[in-house]
Amino acid sequence: MHQKVLVLDFGGQYNQLIARRVRELGVYCDLLPPEMGVEKIKEYSPIGIIFTGGPNSVYEEASPKIDPAVFSLGIPVLGICYGCQLTAHILGGKVEKAASSEYGKAEVTYLPSPVTEGLPERAVSWMSHTDRITELPAGFTKIASSAHCPYAAFGDIKRKIYGVQFHPEVNHTEYGILILKNFLYNVCGAAGDWTMSNFVADKVAELREKIGNKKVLCAMSGGVDSAVAATLVHRAAGANLTCVFVDHGLLRKNEAEEVMAVFRDGLGMNLIKADAGAVFLEKLGGVTDPEQKRKIIGAEFIRAFEAQSKQIGKVDFLVQGTIYPDVIESGKGKSAVIKTHHNVGGLPSVVDFKEIIEPLRDLFKDEVRKVGLELGLPKSVVMRQPFPGPGLAIRIMGEVTEEKLRIVRDSDFILREEIAKAGLDEKIWQYFTVLTNSKTVGVQGDFRTYEYVLAIRAINSVDAMTADWARIPYELLERIAGRIANEVEHVNRIVYDITSKPPATIEWE
Ligand code: XMP
């Protein structure tokens, strides 16, 4: 068992980031709603509690609350932004609406305290608030101030309760990580027992115990999550694990071969490849509507997987690559359907199994990657950029054909090759080509051409919820465009997508 920190979610936009930072600092934490109540908090038995920020004002009727008894548990508390105002408000301080909101960088002056140890006297921090604290509760002292905030940070050192008005979790806050580290190690007494090698050892032992000699089935997509989940289970179950990889013919160049080489030939996994490309292409024939394409692919995927699993017969466990953000998201209200996402979430009802195993459900994506490296998976698998379940079909506008697949596949390959050569492959979050449904006039070797317009899409993001278009150097764009125009038949014009998300989405369909 490892130590745990409880991050109480008051609805701020950086909440998952706070939890990721705590984990990166070697301490396990969960992000849970404050409505869980003090009894449940006691049961959870954290070494420290962090209140996140949130969009509300403590004076609003509907603003999220916390039972004041939380401050009497003897567990250290760190309130961030709204969390810090709530702490001051509940304990008898004064929170007031400032004349104007403060967003962005602010210079903060720090005073010595257990949470500011090792910080310089002044440093830049990231603020995002309207209310501010103008009077501290009894027993608290100031540990930081800024031009706007007389109490940019404060604490009751005896009771181990602290508040920071700024956001220590974001990169813009200099020494922000040190503040979190100080809270965890100096105040909460963290031991730093959350490491990925510990996780692998514990998880493999736990899975071994659970699986015993029973049969396990896993749908492998080649994506990071299913690859790491399968490898972890393979360590525990060996030949009792069968993986099915559905090749829907909509994959990138060499992708299917790579998956087979790494997992079947390299790791010796019992991996079955279902070649379903022809069926998918036939079902997609004449279909141009993006949502219809997605639905057809989702349904066919399940059908192909089902056909394979029928041959395997009844299994005891089905492995799913669910990760922690999926768990957090599914606990929240439903948002509008922008796109029907295809993933293996739809499988359970069609496969005959007794129980689902989700070995990664406690991990953030960066932790999943670390586990993958710990398990010896190659970097090309572990650092892979996201790739959508419906594959290249949603990067081809209009009908999907063999010819169009070849165009996106070849152009995507060139793009990836050039991005890697420029040393940007781990710096850009996601990049790919999109084949539009438009043709334009061009001239190649003195001849008029009338060929497709191809788009390059490259974005940076943290969680795919929002994204910014990547500023690829012009020279590199020129090289990529030149190669594509020369090497990929039926393309005579290349454009660069400079739209962020929102208003666009990352994929075009
Ligand atoms: P959008 O286009 O919605 O994409 O901005 C957000 C991220 O999700 C990926 N994506 C998918 N992933 N199944 C997946 O597993 C899907 O159906 C799917 N559609 C989009 C997309 O590549 C981006 O990283």
Short mmCIF file of all heavy atoms in Angstrom, two decimals, residues 416-450:
data_model
loop_
_atom_site.label_atom_id
_atom_site.label_comp_id
_atom_site.label_asym_id
_atom_site.label_seq_id
_atom_site.Cartn_x
_atom_site.Cartn_y
_atom_site.Cartn_z
N ARG A 416 5.56 12.35 -41.31
CA ARG A 416 6.14 11.79 -40.09
C ARG A 416 7.65 11.68 -40.20
O ARG A 416 8.38 11.95 -39.24
CB ARG A 416 5.52 10.43 -39.78
CG ARG A 416 4.11 10.56 -39.20
CD ARG A 416 3.62 9.29 -38.60
NE ARG A 416 3.25 8.30 -39.60
CZ ARG A 416 3.43 6.99 -39.47
NH1 ARG A 416 4.03 6.51 -38.40
NH2 ARG A 416 3.04 6.17 -40.41
N GLU A 417 8.10 11.28 -41.38
CA GLU A 417 9.54 11.12 -41.58
C GLU A 417 10.26 12.47 -41.43
O GLU A 417 11.27 12.57 -40.74
CB GLU A 417 9.77 10.56 -42.99
CG GLU A 417 11.05 9.79 -43.14
CD GLU A 417 11.06 9.05 -44.49
OE1 GLU A 417 10.93 9.71 -45.53
OE2 GLU A 417 11.20 7.83 -44.46
N GLU A 418 9.70 13.50 -42.05
CA GLU A 418 10.34 14.82 -42.01
C GLU A 418 10.28 15.45 -40.62
O GLU A 418 11.22 16.09 -40.18
CB GLU A 418 9.71 15.76 -43.05
CG GLU A 418 10.05 15.40 -44.49
CD GLU A 418 11.56 15.48 -44.81
OE1 GLU A 418 12.26 16.30 -44.18
OE2 GLU A 418 12.03 14.70 -45.67
N ILE A 419 9.14 15.25 -39.93
CA ILE A 419 9.00 15.80 -38.57
C ILE A 419 10.04 15.11 -37.66
O ILE A 419 10.69 15.76 -36.83
CB ILE A 419 7.57 15.55 -38.03
CG1 ILE A 419 6.55 16.33 -38.85
CG2 ILE A 419 7.47 15.87 -36.53
CD1 ILE A 419 6.17 17.69 -38.38
N ALA A 420 10.21 13.82 -37.84
CA ALA A 420 11.19 13.09 -37.01
C ALA A 420 12.60 13.55 -37.33
O ALA A 420 13.42 13.76 -36.43
CB ALA A 420 11.04 11.58 -37.24
N LYS A 421 12.89 13.71 -38.62
CA LYS A 421 14.24 14.15 -39.04
C LYS A 421 14.56 15.51 -38.43
O LYS A 421 15.70 15.79 -38.09
CB LYS A 421 14.29 14.26 -40.57
CG LYS A 421 15.04 13.09 -41.22
CD LYS A 421 15.46 13.49 -42.62
CE LYS A 421 14.78 12.60 -43.65
NZ LYS A 421 14.77 13.13 -44.99
N ALA A 422 13.54 16.35 -38.30
CA ALA A 422 13.76 17.69 -37.74
C ALA A 422 13.80 17.66 -36.21
O ALA A 422 13.93 18.69 -35.55
CB ALA A 422 12.66 18.63 -38.22
N GLY A 423 13.64 16.47 -35.63
CA GLY A 423 13.70 16.33 -34.17
C GLY A 423 12.46 16.88 -33.46
O GLY A 423 12.49 17.20 -32.29
N LEU A 424 11.34 16.95 -34.20
CA LEU A 424 10.13 17.51 -33.59
C LEU A 424 9.09 16.45 -33.25
O LEU A 424 8.00 16.77 -32.78
CB LEU A 424 9.50 18.54 -34.56
CG LEU A 424 10.32 19.80 -34.84
CD1 LEU A 424 9.63 20.68 -35.87
CD2 LEU A 424 10.53 20.59 -33.54
N ASP A 425 9.42 15.18 -33.49
CA ASP A 425 8.40 14.13 -33.31
C ASP A 425 7.89 13.99 -31.88
O ASP A 425 6.76 13.59 -31.66
CB ASP A 425 8.88 12.77 -33.85
CG ASP A 425 10.26 12.40 -33.36
OD1 ASP A 425 11.01 13.31 -32.94
OD2 ASP A 425 10.60 11.22 -33.39
N GLU A 426 8.72 14.35 -30.88
CA GLU A 426 8.21 14.26 -29.51
C GLU A 426 7.79 15.63 -28.99
O GLU A 426 7.40 15.78 -27.84
CB GLU A 426 9.26 13.62 -28.60
CG GLU A 426 9.26 12.11 -28.75
CD GLU A 426 10.29 11.42 -27.88
OE1 GLU A 426 10.62 11.94 -26.81
OE2 GLU A 426 10.78 10.35 -28.30
N LYS A 427 7.91 16.63 -29.87
CA LYS A 427 7.56 18.00 -29.43
C LYS A 427 6.17 18.40 -29.91
O LYS A 427 5.50 19.21 -29.30
CB LYS A 427 8.59 19.01 -29.95
CG LYS A 427 9.98 18.73 -29.39
CD LYS A 427 10.80 20.01 -29.28
CE LYS A 427 12.08 19.79 -28.51
NZ LYS A 427 13.21 19.44 -29.37
N ILE A 428 5.75 17.83 -31.04
CA ILE A 428 4.41 18.16 -31.54
C ILE A 428 3.47 17.04 -31.11
O ILE A 428 3.76 15.86 -31.27
CB ILE A 428 4.41 18.30 -33.08
CG1 ILE A 428 5.45 19.36 -33.49
CG2 ILE A 428 3.03 18.71 -33.58
CD1 ILE A 428 5.61 19.50 -34.99
N TRP A 429 2.35 17.43 -30.56
CA TRP A 429 1.43 16.48 -29.92
C TRP A 429 0.79 15.51 -30.93
O TRP A 429 0.69 14.32 -30.69
CB TRP A 429 0.34 17.28 -29.22
CG TRP A 429 -0.29 16.59 -28.08
CD1 TRP A 429 0.22 16.45 -26.82
CD2 TRP A 429 -1.58 15.96 -28.07
NE1 TRP A 429 -0.68 15.77 -26.04
CE2 TRP A 429 -1.78 15.47 -26.77
CE3 TRP A 429 -2.57 15.78 -29.03
CZ2 TRP A 429 -2.93 14.80 -26.41
CZ3 TRP A 429 -3.72 15.11 -28.67
CH2 TRP A 429 -3.90 14.62 -27.38
N GLN A 430 0.36 16.06 -32.07
CA GLN A 430 -0.26 15.20 -33.08
C GLN A 430 -0.12 15.86 -34.44
O GLN A 430 -0.29 17.08 -34.56
CB GLN A 430 -1.75 15.00 -32.75
CG GLN A 430 -2.38 13.84 -33.48
CD GLN A 430 -3.82 13.57 -33.02
OE1 GLN A 430 -4.39 14.33 -32.24
NE2 GLN A 430 -4.40 12.50 -33.50
N TYR A 431 0.19 15.07 -35.45
CA TYR A 431 0.36 15.64 -36.79
C TYR A 431 0.02 14.57 -37.82
O TYR A 431 0.35 13.40 -37.65
CB TYR A 431 1.79 16.16 -37.00
CG TYR A 431 2.86 15.23 -36.48
CD1 TYR A 431 3.48 14.30 -37.30
CD2 TYR A 431 3.22 15.28 -35.13
CE1 TYR A 431 4.44 13.44 -36.81
CE2 TYR A 431 4.18 14.41 -34.63
CZ TYR A 431 4.78 13.50 -35.48
OH TYR A 431 5.71 12.62 -34.97
N PHE A 432 -0.66 15.01 -38.88
CA PHE A 432 -1.11 14.06 -39.90
C PHE A 432 -1.54 14.81 -41.14
O PHE A 432 -1.60 16.04 -41.12
CB PHE A 432 -2.27 13.20 -39.36
CG PHE A 432 -3.39 13.98 -38.72
CD1 PHE A 432 -4.45 14.45 -39.48
CD2 PHE A 432 -3.39 14.25 -37.36
CE1 PHE A 432 -5.49 15.17 -38.91
CE2 PHE A 432 -4.42 14.98 -36.76
CZ PHE A 432 -5.47 15.43 -37.54
N THR A 433 -1.84 14.08 -42.19
CA THR A 433 -2.34 14.74 -43.40
C THR A 433 -3.81 14.39 -43.60
O THR A 433 -4.29 13.36 -43.11
CB THR A 433 -1.54 14.32 -44.65
OG1 THR A 433 -1.65 12.90 -44.80
CG2 THR A 433 -0.08 14.71 -44.55
N VAL A 434 -4.50 15.26 -44.30
CA VAL A 434 -5.92 15.09 -44.55
C VAL A 434 -6.15 15.26 -46.04
O VAL A 434 -5.68 16.24 -46.63
CB VAL A 434 -6.74 16.17 -43.79
CG1 VAL A 434 -8.22 16.05 -44.11
CG2 VAL A 434 -6.49 16.09 -42.29
N LEU A 435 -6.87 14.33 -46.63
CA LEU A 435 -7.16 14.46 -48.06
C LEU A 435 -8.52 15.13 -48.22
O LEU A 435 -9.54 14.58 -47.80
CB LEU A 435 -7.16 13.09 -48.74
CG LEU A 435 -7.39 13.15 -50.25
CD1 LEU A 435 -6.32 13.98 -50.96
CD2 LEU A 435 -7.44 11.76 -50.85
N THR A 436 -8.52 16.33 -48.81
CA THR A 436 -9.79 17.03 -48.99
C THR A 436 -10.53 16.42 -50.17
O THR A 436 -9.99 15.58 -50.91
CB THR A 436 -9.58 18.53 -49.27
OG1 THR A 436 -9.11 18.67 -50.61
CG2 THR A 436 -8.59 19.14 -48.30
N ASN A 437 -11.76 16.88 -50.34
CA ASN A 437 -12.56 16.35 -51.45
C ASN A 437 -12.54 17.34 -52.62
O ASN A 437 -13.39 17.30 -53.47
CB ASN A 437 -13.99 16.13 -50.96
CG ASN A 437 -14.62 14.96 -51.64
OD1 ASN A 437 -13.94 14.21 -52.35
ND2 ASN A 437 -15.91 14.79 -51.44
N SER A 438 -11.57 18.26 -52.59
CA SER A 438 -11.51 19.30 -53.63
C SER A 438 -10.34 19.06 -54.56
O SER A 438 -9.27 18.62 -54.13
CB SER A 438 -11.31 20.67 -52.99
OG SER A 438 -12.37 20.97 -52.17
N LYS A 439 -10.55 19.40 -55.82
CA LYS A 439 -9.46 19.34 -56.79
C LYS A 439 -9.20 20.75 -57.29
O LYS A 439 -10.12 21.57 -57.37
CB LYS A 439 -9.84 18.44 -57.96
CG LYS A 439 -9.84 16.97 -57.59
CD LYS A 439 -10.01 16.10 -58.80
CE LYS A 439 -9.71 14.65 -58.45
NZ LYS A 439 -9.73 13.80 -59.64
N THR A 440 -7.96 21.05 -57.58
CA THR A 440 -7.63 22.37 -58.13
C THR A 440 -6.69 22.20 -59.33
O THR A 440 -6.11 21.14 -59.53
CB THR A 440 -6.93 23.28 -57.10
OG1 THR A 440 -5.66 22.71 -56.77
CG2 THR A 440 -7.75 23.48 -55.85
N VAL A 441 -6.54 23.28 -60.06
CA VAL A 441 -5.67 23.25 -61.23
C VAL A 441 -4.23 23.49 -60.81
O VAL A 441 -3.96 24.32 -59.95
CB VAL A 441 -6.12 24.32 -62.25
CG1 VAL A 441 -5.14 24.39 -63.43
CG2 VAL A 441 -7.52 24.02 -62.74
N GLY A 442 -3.33 22.76 -61.43
CA GLY A 442 -1.92 22.94 -61.15
C GLY A 442 -1.12 22.76 -62.42
O GLY A 442 -1.69 22.51 -63.50
N VAL A 443 0.18 22.92 -62.30
CA VAL A 443 1.03 22.70 -63.46
C VAL A 443 2.24 21.89 -63.01
O VAL A 443 2.91 22.23 -62.05
CB VAL A 443 1.41 24.04 -64.14
CG1 VAL A 443 2.04 25.03 -63.15
CG2 VAL A 443 2.37 23.80 -65.30
N GLN A 444 2.43 20.78 -63.67
CA GLN A 444 3.56 19.92 -63.34
C GLN A 444 4.24 19.50 -64.64
O GLN A 444 3.59 18.91 -65.51
CB GLN A 444 3.09 18.70 -62.53
CG GLN A 444 3.13 18.95 -61.02
CD GLN A 444 2.29 17.96 -60.22
OE1 GLN A 444 1.20 17.57 -60.63
NE2 GLN A 444 2.80 17.53 -59.09
N GLY A 445 5.52 19.84 -64.78
CA GLY A 445 6.27 19.48 -65.99
C GLY A 445 5.60 19.97 -67.25
O GLY A 445 5.39 19.21 -68.19
N ASP A 446 5.21 21.26 -67.26
CA ASP A 446 4.59 21.90 -68.44
C ASP A 446 3.16 21.43 -68.74
O ASP A 446 2.56 21.87 -69.71
CB ASP A 446 5.43 21.68 -69.71
CG ASP A 446 6.75 22.45 -69.64
OD1 ASP A 446 6.80 23.40 -68.82
OD2 ASP A 446 7.69 22.09 -70.35
N PHE A 447 2.67 20.54 -67.90
CA PHE A 447 1.31 20.07 -68.17
C PHE A 447 0.33 20.60 -67.14
O PHE A 447 0.67 20.76 -65.98
CB PHE A 447 1.27 18.53 -68.14
CG PHE A 447 1.94 17.90 -69.33
CD1 PHE A 447 3.22 17.36 -69.20
CD2 PHE A 447 1.30 17.86 -70.56
CE1 PHE A 447 3.85 16.78 -70.29
CE2 PHE A 447 1.93 17.29 -71.65
CZ PHE A 447 3.21 16.75 -71.52
N ARG A 448 -0.88 20.84 -67.61
CA ARG A 448 -1.95 21.22 -66.68
C ARG A 448 -2.36 19.98 -65.90
O ARG A 448 -2.46 18.89 -66.46
CB ARG A 448 -3.13 21.74 -67.50
CG ARG A 448 -4.36 22.06 -66.66
CD ARG A 448 -5.54 22.34 -67.59
NE ARG A 448 -6.69 22.87 -66.87
CZ ARG A 448 -7.64 22.11 -66.33
NH1 ARG A 448 -7.58 20.80 -66.41
NH2 ARG A 448 -8.67 22.68 -65.72
N THR A 449 -2.55 20.15 -64.58
CA THR A 449 -3.06 19.02 -63.80
C THR A 449 -4.34 19.48 -63.11
O THR A 449 -4.57 20.67 -62.92
CB THR A 449 -2.06 18.55 -62.73
OG1 THR A 449 -1.79 19.65 -61.84
CG2 THR A 449 -0.76 18.07 -63.33
N TYR A 450 -5.16 18.55 -62.77
CA TYR A 450 -6.37 18.84 -62.01
C TYR A 450 -6.44 17.74 -60.95
O TYR A 450 -6.90 16.63 -61.20
CB TYR A 450 -7.58 18.80 -62.95
CG TYR A 450 -8.86 19.25 -62.27
CD1 TYR A 450 -8.96 20.53 -61.70
CD2 TYR A 450 -9.97 18.42 -62.21
CE1 TYR A 450 -10.13 20.94 -61.09
CE2 TYR A 450 -11.15 18.83 -61.61
CZ TYR A 450 -11.22 20.09 -61.04
OH TYR A 450 -12.37 20.50 -60.43
#
